[in-house]
Amino acid sequence: MQGVAASANHRAARRLRVARLGVALPLALLWLSACSIMPTEKRHTPAEIASYQAADFVAPIASVEGETAAREEGLKLIRDALALPTGFDPNGIVPGALGNIGFLNVEKEAGLRLLLDTLPVLSSKDAAYQRAVLTFAYTYYAKESAAHLSRLLTSITTPREFAITAYALLKAESSDGQRSFIRATMKNTFADWSTEPRLQRLEYVLSTDLTAEIRKRPPLVDLLAYPIRAGKPVIFSFQRQDRQRFGLAVVRGVDGRFIRNADGSLFQIAHLANAMSNLPGTITNGNTPQGLFTIVGAGTATNKWIGPTPYLHSKIPVEATVAEFEHAEANQVPNSWSDGVYRSFLPETWRQYVPFTEALLAGRAGRDDMLIHGTTINSNYYRGASFYPGTPSAGCLVAMETWRPEDGRQQTSDQLSLAKAFTRDGLDRGYLVVVELDDQLEPVTLQEVKASLEAAESRLPSRLASRAVATR
């Protein structure tokens, strides 16, 4: 619990700093802080999780009345921002309004006008303000804002905001000339660019064919069969390189076999690792980074958009100590992270695969609180999107849930099923592996990974391979 409290204090201090900077924290920005862990949150034992049923949980925000009230709050901020004179924002409400436009998926044309009115004065704003505006530009209007962003790049002196601007420019145009301009500006602005994790990742993106790189992915079976640390359950979340498609999650039990349902079929759920921003994983509120996480229990979020279903508390390196990854006493393991320590958790064939180090870089960049959780967000906001009926997050892994509109009582929950499968052996400590399979533009299916799952199980001693395991 000390780690939980420390994480909560760190996140609370960050929110306080943002508030002091004058940036409003309305509907969307509070949601973007959704994964903050608070000391007052209830923690759940494996026995409690095993006893829960979907109907045990109620989320008022998921009722028609609750959702309508929250939506109107968000729309009001948008209206207030659109009424401001051009370039004038004394109360710092524009970032929140742009966030709400994206979150509620409304007023996109008005959002573009507000963005283009704000970019010319953005260099005079603080980093928190810049981040929200630049993120909106990257996500929705990279091409339309490229001319402004190109001029702005030379005046940005914070690594995170520089990287967001650079990614937006690359999204608008990925020519060799554009890459050379970004690289030259980065090296001229940041003397420490080669050791700053967000800029390290940016340089990798600038110099690498990411599509070709993913096609060099090591054998999946090696990752699925590797024990990480023996006797610990593992969630494998398979994703596309384009995260705006549903991924798929399975669970490996403590005996090394993948969890089955009562009918003998493999347990699986749809899993979305797509942030609303769709930024790379080393950027705050970007997509869930690829790589290895530790899981250190389960809790109930205080944030209404996550809802009351128990989340699984996943942490990346640096956010978690080496001891938390080892699930051991601190005096028994190295006291600091290194590339070598991280690689020690991976099979030999995966240790030099650069894309899989994203989680380590994200930790070094300060990312934290990327949980495995459910959702109370109205999926109809995103009808027509490639990830519909999923709902994006602020960098977490999200499982599908449905709620009764009359009162917000839960009807179905893939998140609860996942929590039950992970803790079925009485343990709530283990691992999460997020792995991108390829660059296909469609949801991940079980058929794609089934042969690798079976091949991984075939490497087990025969006495284990023959055991049939069912979820509760």
Side-chain angles (χ1 to χ4, degrees):
M1 290 301 292
Q2 287 181 345
V4 174
S7 178
N9 292 337
H10 172 71
R11 202 61 181 252
R14 181 188 302 170
R15 288 198 301 270
L16 180 59
R17 287 196 298 271
V18 171
R20 286 173 175 169
L21 288 171
V23 178
L25 288 176
L27 180 72
L29 292 189
L30 285 173
W31 170 72
L32 289 174
S33 300
C35 297
S36 301
I37 306 298
M38 303 301 291
T40 56
E41 292 179 5
K42 173 177 171 53
R43 305 296 282 187
H44 303 267
T45 67
E48 288 175 323
I49 291 171
S51 71
Y52 293 146
Q53 302 298 318
D56 294 336
F57 302 101
V58 178
I61 190 67
S63 69
V64 170
E65 181 180 3
E67 186 272 332
T68 300
R71 188 171 188 272
E72 181 52 40
E73 178 188 347
L75 291 172
K76 181 181 184 303
L77 187 76
I78 294 171
R79 293 193 294 267
D80 290 346
L82 293 176
L84 292 171
T86 300
F88 183 70
D89 186 18
N91 297 317
I93 67 172
V94 167
L98 292 174
N100 285 350
I101 287 170
F103 179 54
L104 297 173
N105 200 16
V106 296
E107 297 283 4
K108 289 294 180 59
E109 290 187 10
L112 174 58
R113 293 196 301 272
L114 185 58
L115 173 67
L116 295 179
D117 286 345
T118 305
L119 286 174
V121 299
L122 196 60
S123 62
S124 65
K125 304 295 185 180
D126 57 65
Y129 193 109
Q130 289 179 352
R131 175 169 68 90
V133 174
L134 293 168
T135 296
F136 185 85
Y138 168 86
T139 306
Y140 303 106
Y141 292 116
K143 288 186 177 180
E144 292 84 350
S145 58
H148 289 290
L149 296 176
S150 185
R151 291 190 292 270
L152 191 62
L153 190 69
T154 59
S155 64
I156 295 180
T157 58
T158 49
R160 181 179 59 192
E161 288 65 44
F162 183 94
I164 297 171
T165 308
Y167 287 128
L169 288 171
L170 283 175
K171 188 175 179 181
E173 180 194 338
S174 60
S175 67
D176 290 344
Q178 182 81 294
R179 291 168 186 268
S180 295
F181 165 67
I182 293 170
R183 181 180 288 108
T185 306
M186 177 179 69
K187 293 182 178 181
N188 185 59
T189 305
F190 301 97
D192 65 343
W193 68 270
S194 64
T195 57
E196 205 291 323
R198 286 156 292 207
L199 301 182
Q200 281 182 299
R201 185 66 180 183
L202 175 59
E203 170 61 21
Y204 173 74
V205 171
L206 288 170
S207 60
T208 305
D209 182 338
L210 298 180
T211 299
E213 192 74 3
I214 200 170
R215 291 173 183 168
K216 301 175 186 175
R217 175 177 54 77
L220 187 61
V221 63
D222 293 351
L223 191 64
L224 296 172
Y226 192 67
I228 305 179
R229 294 297 182 261
K232 295 293 187 292
V234 182
I235 296 173
F236 290 90
S237 186
F238 306 109
Q239 301 295 325
R240 299 295 189 204
Q241 192 173 50
D242 178 355
R243 295 296 186 81
Q244 295 192 308
R245 303 292 187 281
F246 261 116
L248 179 142
V250 301
V251 180
R252 193 177 72 193
V254 299
D255 64 358
R257 277 183 54 85
F258 292 93
I259 302 297
R260 265 70 173 177
N261 298 308
D263 63 2
S265 61
L266 280 162
F267 171 83
Q268 59 167 316
I269 64 160
H271 221 202
L272 196 63
N274 172 227
M276 189 171 73
S277 71
N278 202 27
L279 279 161
T282 51
I283 304 298
T284 306
N285 296 333
N287 292 332
T288 315
Q290 182 175 197
L292 182 64
F293 296 60
T294 188
I295 296 176
V296 291
T300 292
T302 54
N303 187 282
K304 58 188 178 184
W305 301 113
I306 290 180
T309 314
Y311 63 75
L312 294 172
H313 191 176
S314 46
K315 290 184 171 186
I316 52 176
V318 182
E319 174 195 9
T321 64
V322 178
E324 286 180 292
F325 259 73
E326 291 280 5
H327 299 288
E329 295 297 327
N331 61 3
Q332 299 174 345
V333 298
N335 56 18
S336 63
W337 282 98
S338 67
D339 291 358
V341 170
Y342 179 72
R343 290 178 180 137
S344 74
F345 289 91
L346 307 177
E348 186 68 34
T349 52
W350 283 75
R351 291 179 183 176
Q352 303 306 316
Y353 183 53
V354 175
F356 216 66
T357 63
E358 187 177 34
L360 177 61
L361 281 177
R364 288 172 172 165
R367 289 205 68 179
D368 58 9
D369 290 342
M370 290 173 283
L371 308 178
I372 307 166
H373 64 71
T375 178
T376 62
I377 298 170
N378 186 346
S379 63
N380 287 325
Y381 294 166
Y382 312 108
R383 188 178 292 276
S386 56
F387 52 80
Y388 179 82
T391 61
S393 69
C396 299
L397 286 148
V398 182
M400 294 282 291
E401 296 187 301
T402 61
W403 307 84
R404 196 163 68 187
E406 296 86 352
D407 57 5
R409 185 167 296 279
Q410 191 174 92
Q411 296 175 310
T412 64
S413 174
D414 284 351
Q415 174 60 24
L416 182 58
S417 297
L418 181 62
K420 285 175 176 282
F422 180 75
T423 59
R424 62 166 295 283
D425 293 313
L427 298 178
D428 60 2
R429 300 295 193 272
Y431 297 97
L432 162 69
V433 177
V434 179
V435 57
E436 294 178 354
L437 296 178
D438 52 41
D439 60 344
Q440 292 187 61
L441 299 178
E442 57 187 33
V444 176
T445 66
L446 181 61
Q447 195 60 36
E448 294 175 67
V449 298
K450 189 174 182 180
S452 295
L453 296 171
E454 292 172 347
E457 286 186 330
S458 73
R459 297 184 183 183
L460 291 168
S462 58
R463 66 179 180 82
L464 292 179
S466 63
R467 288 180 57 186
V469 182
T471 56
R472 290 186 175 95

